[in-house]
Amino acid sequence: MQQEFVLSAGEGDFFFGFHDLVAWNAAGDKLLALQSPDITLPPDPRVPCAIGYFDAAQQFHELGNTYAYNYPQGARQQWIGDTDTFIVNDRVGDKWGARIYDASVDKCVSTLHLPAHVITDDGIAFGIDYARLFRVGGYGYTGLPDKQAHIHAPVDSGIIKHNVYTGEQALLLSISAVANYKMNPSLGQHHYITHLLLNPMQNRLAFLHRYKLKDGGETTRLMTVGTDGNDLRCLATGFLSHFDWKDDTHIAIWGRTGSNIEKLRGSLLYKMMPAGLISNGKKVLKKLLYTRTQGAQAVAPFNWLLLPDADGAAPSMLARDIITEDGHPMFCPANRDWMICDTYPNEQGIRTLFLFQYSTQQKTTLGTYRMIDTKPNLQLVNPLLEGVDEGVLKAFSLEQMAFTRSGLHCDLHPRWKRDGSLVAFDSIHDGRRLIYGYDVSSIVHADKNVLV
């Protein structure tokens, strides 16, 4: 059985962030990482974290620092194509921007006035509004105000496309255009765009369009658009969570569409009901809608869905009765038949890391990791959540917001090495936040399949 090993040697807390980026460079001898100043609190806008990489000898090279980070998604640090240069978000003046570092000479070589969420191999970056994301409770950055807070679907905020070498830039897609696509934007409030992800061919972007509802809930739409800004599509609407491109034309996503709650929210009755009545009756409505006899199946259960990249796509199932809970998926860049994924903590606080092979529908468990019991100091949290919308703070307790935005909430967020030989993940089971790895080459490249 495989055993995890530490990839981030040395003192302190290290992390990478989300499950949708490759942390290793093309040569496979450098691993990007952030070093946290204090994992017990949400990010402090006055205190940066260090940015750098671990070399093949597991020595950390600190190249600079950044104020533009959060614990779930890091600072969106990522290598640019096959080069030894990487881009990382940072505060540049009074805006969220980015910096480019050259790891061959260990220094910053460029400062950009626009951020990057994803970037193509030839240096075309796509960024989003991180001040808005922070305000609405998403994975934004703390320290700068949302200048469009009073506008529910702004026309001049959305996905920004820019060339990191020439400086050419344009608004690829506005929040207003997204909110007006095949829906009435007035049905929702505080529309925003999040979770950009390029397909393997890098000619289409997938993203989540989310907006607040008058019952206090939130709806998500999975959407795609060409990297030229054309051919906008809405694949699905409902409770939709983590996803990845299975290939250039299909997306795997955890969620549920077409439930009774979603049908109610789209009904004329819902649109006519006062917000207060809906909010107060939400729990009762859910109980009535989802009451079922013992042992019966839910009307619209959650599943891993496989959606073609088309408007109103009819989903198939990715792993029916095999992967039965939400997690953070990433398909192997070298062989997209393989997926690495994790689970959320169970009642004992244990997360599971596993591989899944689509062609055989087989799952291989790699390890289990328990979260630690330490909690943030709530007396220090309030200033660090300044700017988060009041409605968000009402929907989530201060304890929950403080914990999930701190480094103590550590999802495994597994990610592949480009050649499929290794996977890396963040974990806190040893009391520090560290980056760990698994050698999975014997599984992924084996002649026979390995079962759980």
Side-chain angles (χ1 to χ4, degrees):
M1 182 176 178
Q2 281 72 20
Q3 180 64 41
E4 84 278 351
F5 49 87
V6 176
L7 288 168
S8 57
E11 297 298 321
D13 295 285
F14 293 93
F15 70 106
F16 179 82
F18 225 38
H19 59 100
D20 59 351
L21 297 174
V22 175
W24 281 276
N25 63 343
D29 59 358
K30 296 180 179 68
L31 178 76
L32 289 175
L34 296 169
Q35 186 172 25
S36 170
D38 184 354
I39 64 170
T40 66
L41 292 172
D44 188 323
R46 302 160 299 180
V47 182
C49 72
I51 175 70
Y53 66 89
F54 284 93
D55 61 22
Q58 292 199 17
Q59 295 297 310
F60 184 62
H61 296 244
E62 181 179 334
L63 273 59
N65 55 46
T66 176
Y67 292 87
Y69 73 99
N70 56 64
Y71 283 105
Q73 293 196 348
R76 300 304 296 173
Q77 64 281 356
Q78 54 200 295
W79 300 99
I80 304 175
D82 292 338
T83 72
D84 259 3
T85 59
F86 66 90
I87 190 168
V88 57
N89 288 335
D90 195 6
R91 190 172 64 215
V92 178
D94 62 349
K95 295 182 179 179
W96 295 123
R99 303 188 195 278
I100 294 178
Y101 291 88
D102 186 341
S104 66
V105 293
D106 283 359
K107 68 179 183 179
C108 178
V109 295
S110 182
T111 297
L112 309 172
H113 292 275
L114 292 169
H117 200 83
V118 290
I119 189 167
T120 65
D121 290 342
D122 54 359
I124 306 300
F126 301 86
I128 47 183
D129 191 339
Y130 293 103
R132 188 176 188 88
L133 272 178
F134 182 76
R135 182 181 64 81
V136 298
Y139 296 150
Y141 308 134
T142 180
L144 296 177
D146 177 9
K147 296 179 180 179
Q148 304 276 12
H150 60 294
I151 303 174
H152 289 300
V155 298
D156 52 357
S157 175
I159 301 175
I160 294 287
K161 177 181 179 179
H162 59 106
N163 187 313
V164 301
Y165 300 122
T166 68
E168 183 181 0
Q169 64 184 68
L171 180 64
L172 182 82
L173 186 65
S174 72
I175 294 174
S176 176
V178 171
N180 278 279
Y181 184 77
K182 297 197 172 183
M183 68 169 283
N184 183 343
S186 65
L187 296 180
Q189 299 177 330
H190 306 293
H191 296 261
Y192 65 100
I193 292 171
T194 185
H195 290 65
L196 301 188
L197 188 57
L198 287 160
N199 67 347
M201 194 182 294
Q202 300 187 348
N203 66 340
R204 291 194 66 77
L205 273 172
F207 61 92
L208 300 181
H209 165 219
R210 286 179 168 157
Y211 51 92
K212 310 296 183 182
L213 300 165
K214 58 185 178 181
D215 62 11
E218 187 174 71
T219 287
T220 299
R221 298 203 297 170
L222 173 63
M223 306 187 73
T224 64
V225 67
T227 52
D228 59 359
N230 295 320
D231 201 8
L232 181 63
R233 302 169 189 169
C234 177
L235 280 59
T237 303
F239 186 102
L240 300 169
S241 184
H242 304 98
F243 69 92
D244 191 17
W245 288 91
K246 170 68 176 68
D247 51 43
D248 284 313
T249 57
H250 293 85
I251 295 174
I253 189 167
W254 173 263
R256 179 190 67 199
T257 62
S259 73
N260 288 330
I261 283 287
E262 276 112 37
K263 290 175 183 176
L264 174 65
R265 284 168 167 167
S267 70
L268 180 62
L269 173 64
Y270 178 88
K271 297 169 189 175
M272 295 174 61
M273 290 173 70
L277 178 60
I278 290 179
S279 182
N280 291 333
K282 186 178 176 183
K283 291 183 180 179
V284 176
L285 287 169
K286 276 189 173 182
K287 186 174 182 180
L288 290 172
L289 287 169
Y290 291 113
T291 297
R292 61 184 189 270
T293 58
Q294 187 174 3
Q297 293 295 315
V299 175
F302 289 92
N303 277 294
W304 277 102
L305 308 174
L306 190 60
L307 292 161
D309 182 15
D311 264 314
S316 57
M317 299 299 170
L318 180 78
R320 185 193 291 271
D321 300 325
I322 299 168
I323 310 176
T324 57
E325 54 190 304
D326 194 4
H328 303 92
M330 185 184 190
F331 286 94
C332 178
N335 180 359
R336 303 188 83 86
D337 187 37
W338 286 94
M339 182 181 84
I340 186 73
C341 196
D342 63 356
T343 67
Y344 278 99
N346 62 16
E347 292 180 356
Q348 289 75 45
I350 296 173
R351 299 170 167 90
T352 300
L353 181 71
F354 63 90
L355 288 166
F356 171 71
Q357 187 177 27
Y358 178 72
S359 61
T360 61
Q361 294 289 290
Q362 293 178 354
K363 177 182 169 184
T364 304
T365 297
L366 296 177
T368 56
Y369 302 93
R370 188 182 184 279
M371 58 191 288
I372 62 176
D373 297 325
T374 307
K375 296 293 187 291
N377 184 341
L378 296 183
Q379 294 180 340
L380 302 176
V381 165
N382 273 326
L384 306 181
L385 296 178
E386 185 178 348
V388 177
D389 190 79
E390 199 173 296
V392 174
L393 294 176
K394 286 181 179 178
F396 300 94
S397 67
L398 178 63
E399 291 85 353
Q400 185 178 8
M401 283 292 291
F403 178 68
T404 58
R405 293 303 185 265
S406 76
L408 296 171
H409 176 72
C410 183
D411 293 323
L412 302 182
H413 287 161
R415 51 233 170 234
W416 290 92
K417 197 171 186 179
R418 293 170 192 258
D419 63 3
S421 63
L422 298 175
V423 293
F425 64 100
D426 295 352
S427 187
I428 200 169
H429 61 277
D430 284 330
R432 289 196 296 144
R433 185 156 181 159
L434 298 173
I435 302 172
Y436 295 84
Y438 268 97
D439 184 338
V440 297
S441 56
S442 63
I443 301 174
V444 173
H445 304 306
D447 292 329
K448 59 181 181 179
N449 299 307
V450 181
L451 301 177
V452 176

PDB file of all heavy atoms in Angstrom, residues 2 24 46 70 82 102 105 156 159 161 172 181 194 253 304 315 351 354 365 451:
ATOM      1  N   GLN A   2       0.471   2.265  -0.785  1.00  0.00           N
ATOM      2  CA  GLN A   2       1.235   3.507  -0.867  1.00  0.00           C
ATOM      3  C   GLN A   2       1.180   4.256   0.465  1.00  0.00           C
ATOM      4  O   GLN A   2       0.224   4.141   1.218  1.00  0.00           O
ATOM      5  CB  GLN A   2       0.652   4.402  -1.978  1.00  0.00           C
ATOM      6  CG  GLN A   2       1.069   4.021  -3.391  1.00  0.00           C
ATOM      7  CD  GLN A   2       0.402   2.755  -3.862  1.00  0.00           C
ATOM      8  OE1 GLN A   2      -0.624   2.338  -3.340  1.00  0.00           O
ATOM      9  NE2 GLN A   2       0.980   2.121  -4.862  1.00  0.00           N
ATOM     10  N   TRP A  24       3.482  21.522  -9.967  1.00  0.00           N
ATOM     11  CA  TRP A  24       4.852  21.290 -10.442  1.00  0.00           C
ATOM     12  C   TRP A  24       5.102  22.010 -11.769  1.00  0.00           C
ATOM     13  O   TRP A  24       4.188  22.132 -12.609  1.00  0.00           O
ATOM     14  CB  TRP A  24       5.100  19.806 -10.660  1.00  0.00           C
ATOM     15  CG  TRP A  24       5.386  19.008  -9.430  1.00  0.00           C
ATOM     16  CD1 TRP A  24       6.594  18.859  -8.806  1.00  0.00           C
ATOM     17  CD2 TRP A  24       4.455  18.203  -8.679  1.00  0.00           C
ATOM     18  NE1 TRP A  24       6.476  18.021  -7.730  1.00  0.00           N
ATOM     19  CE2 TRP A  24       5.174  17.600  -7.620  1.00  0.00           C
ATOM     20  CE3 TRP A  24       3.094  17.936  -8.795  1.00  0.00           C
ATOM     21  CZ2 TRP A  24       4.578  16.746  -6.698  1.00  0.00           C
ATOM     22  CZ3 TRP A  24       2.486  17.102  -7.878  1.00  0.00           C
ATOM     23  CH2 TRP A  24       3.220  16.515  -6.842  1.00  0.00           C
ATOM     24  N   ARG A  46      -3.075  43.186   6.359  1.00  0.00           N
ATOM     25  CA  ARG A  46      -1.812  43.857   6.695  1.00  0.00           C
ATOM     26  C   ARG A  46      -0.626  42.891   6.717  1.00  0.00           C
ATOM     27  O   ARG A  46       0.530  43.321   6.832  1.00  0.00           O
ATOM     28  CB  ARG A  46      -1.930  44.532   8.063  1.00  0.00           C
ATOM     29  CG  ARG A  46      -3.053  45.557   8.175  1.00  0.00           C
ATOM     30  CD  ARG A  46      -3.413  45.805   9.624  1.00  0.00           C
ATOM     31  NE  ARG A  46      -3.890  44.566  10.265  1.00  0.00           N
ATOM     32  CZ  ARG A  46      -4.282  44.489  11.535  1.00  0.00           C
ATOM     33  NH1 ARG A  46      -4.248  45.561  12.294  1.00  0.00           N
ATOM     34  NH2 ARG A  46      -4.709  43.335  12.028  1.00  0.00           N
ATOM     35  N   ASN A  70      -6.140  33.443  -0.239  1.00  0.00           N
ATOM     36  CA  ASN A  70      -7.065  32.848   0.723  1.00  0.00           C
ATOM     37  C   ASN A  70      -6.659  31.390   0.864  1.00  0.00           C
ATOM     38  O   ASN A  70      -5.922  30.856   0.038  1.00  0.00           O
ATOM     39  CB  ASN A  70      -8.528  33.014   0.293  1.00  0.00           C
ATOM     40  CG  ASN A  70      -8.802  32.446  -1.085  1.00  0.00           C
ATOM     41  OD1 ASN A  70      -8.681  31.235  -1.313  1.00  0.00           O
ATOM     42  ND2 ASN A  70      -9.163  33.303  -2.033  1.00  0.00           N
ATOM     43  N   ASP A  82       5.477  25.763 -20.430  1.00  0.00           N
ATOM     44  CA  ASP A  82       6.638  24.915 -20.139  1.00  0.00           C
ATOM     45  C   ASP A  82       7.818  25.706 -19.581  1.00  0.00           C
ATOM     46  O   ASP A  82       8.932  25.185 -19.488  1.00  0.00           O
ATOM     47  CB  ASP A  82       7.080  24.192 -21.417  1.00  0.00           C
ATOM     48  CG  ASP A  82       6.053  23.157 -21.868  1.00  0.00           C
ATOM     49  OD1 ASP A  82       5.258  22.713 -21.021  1.00  0.00           O
ATOM     50  OD2 ASP A  82       6.040  22.826 -23.067  1.00  0.00           O
ATOM     51  N   ASP A 102      10.520  34.574 -12.112  1.00  0.00           N
ATOM     52  CA  ASP A 102      11.339  33.653 -12.895  1.00  0.00           C
ATOM     53  C   ASP A 102      12.125  32.782 -11.920  1.00  0.00           C
ATOM     54  O   ASP A 102      13.036  33.254 -11.224  1.00  0.00           O
ATOM     55  CB  ASP A 102      12.288  34.437 -13.799  1.00  0.00           C
ATOM     56  CG  ASP A 102      13.069  33.534 -14.749  1.00  0.00           C
ATOM     57  OD1 ASP A 102      13.150  32.312 -14.485  1.00  0.00           O
ATOM     58  OD2 ASP A 102      13.610  34.050 -15.743  1.00  0.00           O
ATOM     59  N   VAL A 105      16.075  32.378 -12.059  1.00  0.00           N
ATOM     60  CA  VAL A 105      16.952  33.394 -11.453  1.00  0.00           C
ATOM     61  C   VAL A 105      16.425  33.848 -10.097  1.00  0.00           C
ATOM     62  O   VAL A 105      17.014  34.725  -9.450  1.00  0.00           O
ATOM     63  CB  VAL A 105      17.110  34.617 -12.392  1.00  0.00           C
ATOM     64  CG1 VAL A 105      17.879  34.221 -13.634  1.00  0.00           C
ATOM     65  CG2 VAL A 105      15.761  35.223 -12.762  1.00  0.00           C
ATOM     66  N   ASP A 156     -19.516  46.361 -16.119  1.00  0.00           N
ATOM     67  CA  ASP A 156     -18.071  46.543 -16.301  1.00  0.00           C
ATOM     68  C   ASP A 156     -17.248  45.725 -15.323  1.00  0.00           C
ATOM     69  O   ASP A 156     -16.110  46.061 -15.008  1.00  0.00           O
ATOM     70  CB  ASP A 156     -17.699  48.019 -16.198  1.00  0.00           C
ATOM     71  CG  ASP A 156     -18.225  48.676 -14.932  1.00  0.00           C
ATOM     72  OD1 ASP A 156     -18.931  48.005 -14.166  1.00  0.00           O
ATOM     73  OD2 ASP A 156     -17.927  49.864 -14.721  1.00  0.00           O
ATOM     74  N   ILE A 159     -15.221  38.711 -16.300  1.00  0.00           N
ATOM     75  CA  ILE A 159     -13.985  38.000 -16.640  1.00  0.00           C
ATOM     76  C   ILE A 159     -13.108  38.927 -17.480  1.00  0.00           C
ATOM     77  O   ILE A 159     -13.507  39.359 -18.564  1.00  0.00           O
ATOM     78  CB  ILE A 159     -14.271  36.703 -17.416  1.00  0.00           C
ATOM     79  CG1 ILE A 159     -15.170  35.769 -16.595  1.00  0.00           C
ATOM     80  CG2 ILE A 159     -12.958  36.003 -17.769  1.00  0.00           C
ATOM     81  CD1 ILE A 159     -15.590  34.512 -17.342  1.00  0.00           C
ATOM     82  N   LYS A 161      -9.723  39.453 -19.636  1.00  0.00           N
ATOM     83  CA  LYS A 161      -8.716  38.730 -20.410  1.00  0.00           C
ATOM     84  C   LYS A 161      -7.529  39.660 -20.664  1.00  0.00           C
ATOM     85  O   LYS A 161      -7.719  40.806 -21.082  1.00  0.00           O
ATOM     86  CB  LYS A 161      -9.321  38.269 -21.737  1.00  0.00           C
ATOM     87  CG  LYS A 161      -8.354  37.559 -22.686  1.00  0.00           C
ATOM     88  CD  LYS A 161      -9.072  37.168 -23.973  1.00  0.00           C
ATOM     89  CE  LYS A 161      -8.141  36.465 -24.961  1.00  0.00           C
ATOM     90  NZ  LYS A 161      -8.855  36.070 -26.216  1.00  0.00           N
ATOM     91  N   LEU A 172     -13.717  40.228 -21.223  1.00  0.00           N
ATOM     92  CA  LEU A 172     -14.176  39.100 -22.036  1.00  0.00           C
ATOM     93  C   LEU A 172     -15.678  38.896 -21.905  1.00  0.00           C
ATOM     94  O   LEU A 172     -16.383  38.675 -22.895  1.00  0.00           O
ATOM     95  CB  LEU A 172     -13.445  37.826 -21.611  1.00  0.00           C
ATOM     96  CG  LEU A 172     -13.783  36.570 -22.408  1.00  0.00           C
ATOM     97  CD1 LEU A 172     -12.969  36.548 -23.696  1.00  0.00           C
ATOM     98  CD2 LEU A 172     -13.516  35.302 -21.592  1.00  0.00           C
ATOM     99  N   TYR A 181     -28.302  36.030 -19.530  1.00  0.00           N
ATOM    100  CA  TYR A 181     -28.318  34.913 -20.470  1.00  0.00           C
ATOM    101  C   TYR A 181     -29.333  33.868 -20.018  1.00  0.00           C
ATOM    102  O   TYR A 181     -29.163  33.191 -19.005  1.00  0.00           O
ATOM    103  CB  TYR A 181     -26.928  34.285 -20.583  1.00  0.00           C
ATOM    104  CG  TYR A 181     -26.856  33.186 -21.618  1.00  0.00           C
ATOM    105  CD1 TYR A 181     -26.791  33.482 -22.969  1.00  0.00           C
ATOM    106  CD2 TYR A 181     -26.868  31.843 -21.242  1.00  0.00           C
ATOM    107  CE1 TYR A 181     -26.726  32.487 -23.921  1.00  0.00           C
ATOM    108  CE2 TYR A 181     -26.804  30.830 -22.179  1.00  0.00           C
ATOM    109  CZ  TYR A 181     -26.739  31.156 -23.524  1.00  0.00           C
ATOM    110  OH  TYR A 181     -26.695  30.155 -24.466  1.00  0.00           O
ATOM    111  N   THR A 194     -17.293  32.876 -10.532  1.00  0.00           N
ATOM    112  CA  THR A 194     -16.224  32.268  -9.756  1.00  0.00           C
ATOM    113  C   THR A 194     -15.773  30.959 -10.415  1.00  0.00           C
ATOM    114  O   THR A 194     -16.417  30.454 -11.337  1.00  0.00           O
ATOM    115  CB  THR A 194     -16.687  32.026  -8.297  1.00  0.00           C
ATOM    116  OG1 THR A 194     -15.592  31.544  -7.522  1.00  0.00           O
ATOM    117  CG2 THR A 194     -17.826  31.031  -8.228  1.00  0.00           C
ATOM    118  N   ILE A 253     -19.163  17.233 -12.520  1.00  0.00           N
ATOM    119  CA  ILE A 253     -19.497  18.155 -11.442  1.00  0.00           C
ATOM    120  C   ILE A 253     -20.377  17.459 -10.416  1.00  0.00           C
ATOM    121  O   ILE A 253     -21.208  16.611 -10.761  1.00  0.00           O
ATOM    122  CB  ILE A 253     -20.206  19.417 -11.999  1.00  0.00           C
ATOM    123  CG1 ILE A 253     -20.363  20.492 -10.907  1.00  0.00           C
ATOM    124  CG2 ILE A 253     -21.544  19.078 -12.630  1.00  0.00           C
ATOM    125  CD1 ILE A 253     -20.769  21.854 -11.458  1.00  0.00           C
ATOM    126  N   TRP A 304     -22.354  12.663  -8.870  1.00  0.00           N
ATOM    127  CA  TRP A 304     -21.342  13.164  -9.771  1.00  0.00           C
ATOM    128  C   TRP A 304     -21.903  13.078 -11.180  1.00  0.00           C
ATOM    129  O   TRP A 304     -22.128  11.988 -11.705  1.00  0.00           O
ATOM    130  CB  TRP A 304     -20.044  12.378  -9.638  1.00  0.00           C
ATOM    131  CG  TRP A 304     -19.215  12.859  -8.494  1.00  0.00           C
ATOM    132  CD1 TRP A 304     -19.076  12.289  -7.265  1.00  0.00           C
ATOM    133  CD2 TRP A 304     -18.421  14.043  -8.464  1.00  0.00           C
ATOM    134  NE1 TRP A 304     -18.256  13.044  -6.464  1.00  0.00           N
ATOM    135  CE2 TRP A 304     -17.833  14.132  -7.184  1.00  0.00           C
ATOM    136  CE3 TRP A 304     -18.156  15.057  -9.400  1.00  0.00           C
ATOM    137  CZ2 TRP A 304     -17.002  15.186  -6.815  1.00  0.00           C
ATOM    138  CZ3 TRP A 304     -17.302  16.102  -9.025  1.00  0.00           C
ATOM    139  CH2 TRP A 304     -16.745  16.153  -7.756  1.00  0.00           C
ATOM    140  N   PRO A 315     -27.439  15.291 -18.415  1.00  0.00           N
ATOM    141  CA  PRO A 315     -26.289  14.667 -17.760  1.00  0.00           C
ATOM    142  C   PRO A 315     -26.332  13.145 -17.771  1.00  0.00           C
ATOM    143  O   PRO A 315     -27.403  12.537 -17.779  1.00  0.00           O
ATOM    144  CB  PRO A 315     -26.381  15.195 -16.324  1.00  0.00           C
ATOM    145  CG  PRO A 315     -27.848  15.389 -16.101  1.00  0.00           C
ATOM    146  CD  PRO A 315     -28.402  15.834 -17.437  1.00  0.00           C
ATOM    147  N   ARG A 351     -11.034  12.895   6.489  1.00  0.00           N
ATOM    148  CA  ARG A 351     -11.142  13.049   5.040  1.00  0.00           C
ATOM    149  C   ARG A 351     -10.469  11.846   4.371  1.00  0.00           C
ATOM    150  O   ARG A 351      -9.483  11.328   4.884  1.00  0.00           O
ATOM    151  CB  ARG A 351     -10.446  14.329   4.581  1.00  0.00           C
ATOM    152  CG  ARG A 351     -11.024  15.614   5.155  1.00  0.00           C
ATOM    153  CD  ARG A 351     -10.098  16.784   4.829  1.00  0.00           C
ATOM    154  NE  ARG A 351     -10.714  18.069   5.067  1.00  0.00           N
ATOM    155  CZ  ARG A 351     -10.655  18.732   6.219  1.00  0.00           C
ATOM    156  NH1 ARG A 351      -9.999  18.199   7.249  1.00  0.00           N
ATOM    157  NH2 ARG A 351     -11.228  19.907   6.354  1.00  0.00           N
ATOM    158  N   PHE A 354      -8.579   9.544  -2.614  1.00  0.00           N
ATOM    159  CA  PHE A 354      -8.722   8.348  -3.452  1.00  0.00           C
ATOM    160  C   PHE A 354      -8.526   8.663  -4.927  1.00  0.00           C
ATOM    161  O   PHE A 354      -8.647   9.805  -5.372  1.00  0.00           O
ATOM    162  CB  PHE A 354     -10.099   7.706  -3.238  1.00  0.00           C
ATOM    163  CG  PHE A 354     -11.269   8.574  -3.648  1.00  0.00           C
ATOM    164  CD1 PHE A 354     -11.784   8.535  -4.938  1.00  0.00           C
ATOM    165  CD2 PHE A 354     -11.871   9.438  -2.732  1.00  0.00           C
ATOM    166  CE1 PHE A 354     -12.863   9.326  -5.317  1.00  0.00           C
ATOM    167  CE2 PHE A 354     -12.945  10.228  -3.090  1.00  0.00           C
ATOM    168  CZ  PHE A 354     -13.444  10.173  -4.389  1.00  0.00           C
ATOM    169  N   THR A 365      -8.558   3.733  -2.701  1.00  0.00           N
ATOM    170  CA  THR A 365      -8.316   4.602  -1.555  1.00  0.00           C
ATOM    171  C   THR A 365      -6.823   4.696  -1.270  1.00  0.00           C
ATOM    172  O   THR A 365      -6.133   3.680  -1.185  1.00  0.00           O
ATOM    173  CB  THR A 365      -9.050   4.068  -0.305  1.00  0.00           C
ATOM    174  OG1 THR A 365     -10.460   4.092  -0.550  1.00  0.00           O
ATOM    175  CG2 THR A 365      -8.734   4.935   0.912  1.00  0.00           C
ATOM    176  N   LEU A 451      -7.949  -2.397  -6.823  1.00  0.00           N
ATOM    177  CA  LEU A 451      -9.246  -2.146  -6.203  1.00  0.00           C
ATOM    178  C   LEU A 451      -9.073  -1.587  -4.805  1.00  0.00           C
ATOM    179  O   LEU A 451      -7.993  -1.652  -4.227  1.00  0.00           O
ATOM    180  CB  LEU A 451     -10.065  -3.438  -6.133  1.00  0.00           C
ATOM    181  CG  LEU A 451     -10.353  -4.111  -7.480  1.00  0.00           C
ATOM    182  CD1 LEU A 451     -11.096  -5.418  -7.247  1.00  0.00           C
ATOM    183  CD2 LEU A 451     -11.155  -3.208  -8.389  1.00  0.00           C
TER     184      LEU A 451
END
